[in-house]
């Protein structure tokens, strides 16, 4: 801070006169027909629906101009200073109007005061304010509890802000250190000891979930009576919700004697069945919104939780049970396009459940959000591939397995990729057919998303082809995207090749046959390969 903050009024006078001559923004924009500004004065102009409103506005304008001129004497880029109505009246309560609008016209008034007279008034006001706030500041050392030091620090800073003295009032009458900086340092020291714990960890939540936050100091002692800011928001991720991003919901809560505060979930339907983020911070800027220092402290104290909300988890991950027993895998007798690699064989499986459709972008985005993933699949930023209801593509086998492990941890069921045979058994739905719906080509009545289907030139929304379902209600078992399995035909145990099934939007109708397959590198992601999971029973 420059030594000129010792209020060298002669310098301030020169600066003020220069600003007045140049029409500087530190002064109010007065009405030219009412008054001509003179050197050596501060002016304030106001109008309103009543004479009282106009008078208060003019006084507020004058105080703002004077304080701003004082501050800009040492910081030419300083923003315009404002003060509360109470502090305005305390400074100028006895000032008489300089010019008033004529009777019968809209109430308007101009005040002015000699800069020298203002300096006397302001010095007396500042000395009184300093004496009061400095005494309160010195008392902070006697407050043993963290919340007490924080709340009193905020109260002092709020008083400085109301008076327009945050960047003006020094801790000592002839000093250079601002009182606000000393108070902010105390608040910051107390804030650094805070530890916030959100009761519900990252992952699935539902309508029965109850949320709370606990505040403690670094020694584990509860911090009572602390005001916290709570923010709910939805991340900008692919979603099946109507609104891509819902308006954020903000609230403040106060901790009880044990340092706990209940947090309400948003009532809006926009916060159902989608990823959401809860952020809890100190609420310092709720007290002094204009303070950049307090804003930084709030950001430094922030903790968050990443959730995925479901009204009904079972419905969100709908599946169909596949009974245990034998079935005929490979080509069916009437499939004249089958090659030797699709030789028929009898396979026995245990009972398992299979997802009704492939994993969507919305479901995969929920996984990325809840696990705070730092990388996303290829094509996730491409609008041709990243719509919430489309199947996720660009995922490797490892990616699919990571999703399955996460879903298993969230639901308590064991999810995994299907084997090649499990996929085929689910696709056939107990029948001996070439395609999931029967032997008719996908081109007949356009039963699937294939190359040349006439409706899509990219992955289609899951379940878009109603007449392409099989008898168990499974969708997209043919076309749309190939689906990873856990199987490999290679005898090399170190091979990364994996079988994919079902054909895709890039392939012709023949590729969509149930017995058909490809073997590709599982380390990579592809624009036409997704996955669906099975759930062990």
């Amino acid at each position: 801070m420059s030594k000129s903050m010792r209020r060298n009024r002669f310098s301030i006078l020169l600066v003020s006169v220069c600003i007045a001559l140049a029409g500087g923004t530190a002064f109010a924009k007065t009405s030219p027909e009412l008054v001509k500004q003179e050197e050596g004065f501060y002016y304030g102009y106001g109008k309103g629906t009543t004479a009282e409103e106009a008078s208060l506005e003019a006084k507020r304008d004058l105080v703002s101009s004077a304080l701003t001129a004082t501050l800009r004497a040492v910081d030419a880029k300083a923003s315009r200073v404002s003060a509360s109505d109470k502090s305005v009246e305390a400074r100028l309560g006895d000032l008489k109007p300089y010019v008033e609008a004529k009777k019968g016209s809209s109430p308007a008034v101009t005040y002015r005061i000699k800069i020298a007279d203002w300096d006397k008034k302001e010095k007396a006001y500042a000395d009184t304010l300093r004496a009061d706030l400095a005494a309160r500041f010195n008392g902070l050392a006697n407050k043993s509890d963290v919340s007490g030091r924080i709340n009193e620090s905020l109260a002092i800073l709020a008083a400085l802000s109301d008076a327009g003295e945050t960047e003006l009032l020094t801790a000592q009458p002839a000093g250079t250190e601002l009182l606000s900086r000393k108070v902010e340092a105390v608040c910051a020291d107390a804030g650094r000891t805070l530890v916030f714990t959100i009761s519900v960890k990252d992952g699935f939540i539902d309508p029965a979930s109850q949320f709370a936050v606990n505040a403690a100091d670094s020694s584990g002692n509860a911090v009572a009576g602390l005001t916290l800011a709570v923010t709910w928001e939805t991340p900008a991720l692919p979603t099946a919700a109507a609104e891509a991003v819902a308006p954020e919901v903000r609230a403040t809560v106060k901790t009880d004697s044990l340092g706990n505060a209940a947090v309400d979930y948003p009532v809006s339907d926009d916060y159902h069945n989608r990823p959401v983020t809860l952020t809890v911070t100190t609420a310092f800027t709720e007290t002094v919104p204009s303070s950049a220092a307090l804003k930084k402290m709030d950001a430094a104290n922030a903790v968050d939780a990443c959730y995925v909300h479901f009204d009904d988890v079972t419905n969100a991950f709908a599946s169909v049970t596949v009974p245990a027993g034998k079935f005929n895998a490979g080509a069916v007798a009437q499939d004249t396009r089958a090659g030797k690699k699709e030789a028929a064989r009898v396979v026995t499986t245990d009972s398992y459940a299979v997802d009704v459709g492939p994993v969507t972008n919305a479901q995969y985005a929920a996984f990325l959000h809840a696990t705070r993933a730092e990388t996303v699949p290829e094509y996730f930023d491409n609008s041709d591939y990243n719509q919430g209801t489309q199947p996720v593509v660009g995922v490797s086998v490892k990616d699919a397995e990571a999703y399955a492990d996460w879903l298993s941890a969230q639901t308590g069921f064991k999810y995994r990729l299907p084997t090649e045979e499990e996929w085929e058994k689910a696709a056939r739905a107990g029948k001996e057919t070439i395609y999931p719906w029967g032997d008719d080509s996908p081109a007949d009545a356009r039963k699937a998303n294939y190359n040349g289907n006439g409706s899509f030139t990219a992955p289609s929304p899951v379940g878009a082809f109603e007449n392409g379902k099989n008898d168990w209600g499974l969708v997209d078992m043919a076309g749309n995207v190939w689906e990873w399995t856990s199987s490999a035909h290679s005898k090399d145990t170190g091979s990364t090749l994996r079988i994919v099934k079902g054909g895709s939007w890039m392939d012709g109708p023949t590729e969509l046959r149930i017995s058909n397959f490809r073997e590709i590198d599982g380390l990579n992601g592809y624009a036409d390969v997704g996955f669906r999971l099975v759930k062990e029973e």
Side-chain angles (χ1 to χ4, degrees):
M1 178 64 68
S2 169
K3 290 186 177 180
S4 59
M5 278 304 295
R6 296 181 179 179
R7 300 176 183 271
N8 185 323
R9 295 303 178 181
F10 180 71
S11 298
I12 294 172
L13 172 60
L14 293 178
V15 173
S16 302
V17 170
C18 292
I19 295 174
L21 291 175
T25 57
F27 293 106
K29 293 182 178 179
T30 57
S31 178
E33 67 272 14
L34 289 181
V35 62
K36 180 179 180 181
Q37 294 187 5
E38 298 179 44
E39 296 178 13
F41 291 88
Y42 289 127
Y43 287 83
Y45 174 70
K47 56 184 178 180
T49 57
T50 65
E52 290 76 14
E53 285 183 4
S55 176
L56 179 57
E57 177 62 27
K59 289 179 179 178
R60 189 188 297 124
D61 193 34
L62 191 156
V63 170
S64 179
S65 295
L67 293 175
T68 301
T70 303
L71 182 56
R72 287 183 181 170
V74 294
D75 181 4
K77 295 182 179 181
S79 300
R80 188 171 173 84
V81 180
S82 62
S84 68
D85 294 347
K86 182 178 179 181
S87 72
V88 166
E89 290 295 348
R91 287 171 163 112
L92 301 178
D94 58 348
L95 189 65
K96 304 300 182 184
Y98 177 57
V99 175
E100 292 183 273
K102 295 179 180 179
K103 290 184 179 181
S105 59
S106 299
V109 61
T110 298
Y111 284 95
R112 80 171 188 174
I113 188 172
K114 287 183 178 180
I115 292 178
D117 291 340
W118 164 265
D119 289 345
K120 292 177 183 178
K121 282 179 173 289
E122 180 61 12
K123 183 179 185 304
Y125 179 85
D127 286 345
T128 301
L129 181 65
R130 182 188 292 108
D132 173 45
L133 297 185
R136 292 173 63 179
F137 172 76
N138 293 332
L140 289 174
N142 298 322
K143 293 186 178 295
S144 58
D145 60 303
V146 174
S147 61
R149 290 198 302 277
I150 289 175
N151 290 335
E152 181 64 358
S153 296
L154 293 175
I156 295 172
L157 291 171
L160 286 167
S161 178
D162 286 347
E165 294 282 356
T166 300
E167 302 297 327
L168 291 169
L169 191 69
T170 55
Q172 301 296 327
T176 59
E177 184 179 14
L178 292 174
L179 178 59
S180 62
R181 298 296 180 263
K182 298 187 69 172
V183 179
E184 287 168 353
V186 172
C187 193
D189 287 342
R192 279 190 285 269
T193 70
L194 295 173
V195 178
F196 298 140
T197 304
I198 298 175
S199 61
V200 181
K201 305 304 180 185
D202 293 355
F204 285 7
I205 57 174
D206 58 36
S209 300
Q210 300 292 317
F211 304 89
V213 59
N214 176 265
D217 61 23
S218 53
S219 298
N221 301 312
V223 178
L226 183 66
T227 301
L228 301 175
V230 173
T231 303
W232 291 96
E233 56 190 334
T234 59
L237 291 169
T239 176
E243 295 295 331
V245 178
E248 71 174 31
V249 176
R250 292 180 58 83
T252 56
V253 297
K254 183 170 285 190
T255 58
D256 60 19
S257 59
L258 298 178
N260 297 319
V263 176
D264 294 328
Y265 193 77
V267 297
S268 170
D269 288 343
D270 291 337
Y271 278 81
H272 286 234
N273 301 305
R274 67 185 306 162
V276 298
T277 302
L278 167 63
T279 303
V280 178
T281 73
T282 48
F284 298 159
T285 48
E286 296 286 337
T287 303
V288 189
S290 61
S291 173
L294 295 183
K295 188 176 295 185
K296 289 181 180 178
M297 293 181 208
D298 285 342
N301 287 322
V303 296
D304 61 23
C306 298
Y307 301 128
V308 187
H309 179 276
F310 293 108
D311 287 327
D312 184 344
V313 173
T314 302
N315 182 63
F317 297 94
S319 61
V320 171
T321 297
V322 178
K326 296 180 179 181
F327 88 104
N328 294 323
V332 294
Q334 68 272 29
D335 186 359
T336 59
R337 295 181 179 274
K340 291 182 179 180
K341 68 174 187 178
E342 303 169 38
R345 59 199 184 278
V346 177
V347 176
T348 301
T349 70
D350 294 329
S351 177
Y352 57 94
V354 62
D355 287 351
V356 169
V359 174
T360 65
N361 282 315
Q363 290 171 324
Y364 199 81
F367 156 68
L368 296 175
H369 173 69
T371 58
R372 303 173 185 260
E374 296 182 356
T375 58
V376 299
E378 191 176 359
Y379 313 109
F380 223 55
D381 60 349
N382 186 326
S383 60
D384 288 337
Y385 300 94
N386 68 0
Q387 303 307 300
T389 56
Q390 287 177 305
V392 65
V393 296
V395 290
S396 66
V397 168
K398 183 178 180 181
D399 294 333
E401 290 173 342
Y403 175 88
D405 290 343
W406 169 75
L407 188 59
S408 299
Q410 295 301 311
T411 63
F413 294 102
K414 173 61 178 177
Y415 283 89
R416 57 176 174 79
L417 288 174
T419 64
E420 179 184 9
E421 288 78 12
E422 286 171 334
W423 190 96
E424 277 199 28
K425 186 175 184 179
R428 293 197 189 284
K431 291 187 174 181
E432 296 285 323
T433 56
I434 299 173
Y435 299 100
W437 53 82
D439 292 336
D440 295 340
S441 168
D444 297 341
R446 294 177 181 168
K447 295 182 174 66
N449 185 4
Y450 59 90
N451 187 3
N453 71 87
S455 298
F456 299 96
T457 56
S460 51
V462 170
F465 292 84
E466 182 69 23
N467 58 353
K469 290 181 178 179
N470 71 7
D471 283 358
W472 289 347
L474 302 181
V475 301
D476 294 356
M477 293 299 287
N480 209 3
V481 292
W482 291 93
E483 298 178 10
W484 287 116
T485 72
S486 61
S487 298
H489 291 180
S490 173
K491 303 299 183 181
D492 180 3
T493 57
S495 173
T496 59
L497 296 178
R498 293 292 182 272
I499 298 298
V500 291
K501 300 284 290 183
S504 79
W505 61 277
M506 289 185 175
D507 302 300
T510 300
E511 295 292 303
L512 276 56
R513 296 174 299 105
I514 291 175
S515 60
N516 185 41
F517 66 88
R518 287 182 182 174
E519 195 166 23
I520 60 177
D521 192 346
L523 295 180
N524 299 328
Y526 306 86
D528 60 344
V529 178
F531 69 100
R532 81 176 70 209
L533 299 178
V534 300
K535 180 175 66 173
E536 294 182 356
E537 293 190 343

